[in-house]
Amino acid sequence: MNKKIAILAGDGIGPEVMTQAIRVLDAIATKFGHKFEYTESLVGGAAYDKHQNHLPQETIDVCNNSDAVLFGSVGGPVDKQHEAKWANCEAKSILALRKAFNFNINLRKMALYTEIASLSPLKPELLSNGLDIVIFRELLGDVYFGEHTQTEKNGERYAFDSGSYTESQIKSIAEYAFKVAKTRSKRLISVDKANVMAMSKLWRQVVSEVAKDNSDIEYSDMLVDNCAMQIIKNPSQFDVILTSNLFGDILSDELSVLSGSVGMMPSASFSSSGLALYEPAGGSAPDIAGKNIANPIAQILSASLMLGYSFNMLDEAKIIDEAVKATIVAGYRTGDIYTKGANEKMVGTKEFTDQVIAFISK
Ligand code: IPM
Ligand code: MG
């Protein structure tokens, strides 16, 4: 197969983990006889330097002409957030991309590797069976694209945000999440705040209607405050979580650290047009950029999601996931997942990927 991939490496560790993900894709192309054509394009601070714009039209055009988008990360150092290059850089790049391409469905995947479970903030007895959780987060509704204003009212400062959901927005992601739940262990928990919010009441109505058409899936609702608690009390009850934009933002960060490092969670954003964007859920980590110490796993697994979901290359995706797992089992560790175990070798970003590639090319 021939596939065109837009490469938006971005800032911080983005470019170096992207380089490694591309090496992995090349190894897959060689093994399976595919041709991947990459077009690099600027986004985030890197784009601002050249275009004074965090998401230039040129980049949008490249995405439009591609079969899928592989995204790195964007954003600058904490102490430079006042500079125009970095001010609101994440929102201006990522939110603008979501809006431009109608990416309404976000999937983030959390997997616990038992070999490094000691890094998890959770107690070992909660993790003995491993963890494998997918969270679906709606991306275009809720308070994200509503009104955001700060004014004065009655002589004091006053802030106002608005949020909304339409029935079709909820239905679109719910149907997708139920479809994916069928390919997993057939359990789905929908998370809302239906005891307070109108958006959540509608969410629950629509999701329960979609559930009726998917009676083979064990479905339940959970309030978001309880869910935040259950994730750390009894995480193995979760398989597929389905939730709205803001709750999904918060809960996916909570899930991402259960594995022991934020550098391990891949994500995918889908739109009804068929184009999808794949990116690590973690940030650009400018403090460790350029040192060959960043964990490339989230970027490599994002490439795997791309092969599976956008190109239907299921064997190819599976072999990448297995290669990452095998590399961990063999004891190779980037610094963030090094536990000083007897069988462990601390390696760099590139050297870790060398092992992933060696496994693929076997
Ligand atoms: C995420 C991020 C973004 C979000 C920010 C950077 C706007 O936190 O993708 O989870 O809130 O959606
Ligand atoms: Mg977030």
Side-chain angles (χ1 to χ4, degrees), residues 98 108 137 144 248-250 252-253 281:
R98 288 176 192 163
R108 295 181 182 181
R137 165 189 176 193
Y144 266 72
D249 179 42
I250 298 164
S252 62
D253 266 23

Side-chain angles (χ1 to χ4, degrees), residues 5-21:
I5 304 169
I7 300 289
L8 276 53
D11 307 313
I13 59 169
E16 65 197 277
V17 291
M18 184 66 85
T19 301
Q20 302 310 321

Side-chain angles (χ1 to χ4, degrees), residues 119 260-264 293-296 333-339 346:
L119 294 170
S261 167
V262 290
M264 316 243 292
I293 58 175
N295 189 330
R333 307 277 185 266
T334 45
D336 58 318
I337 52 172
Y338 181 60
T339 72
M346 182 146 51

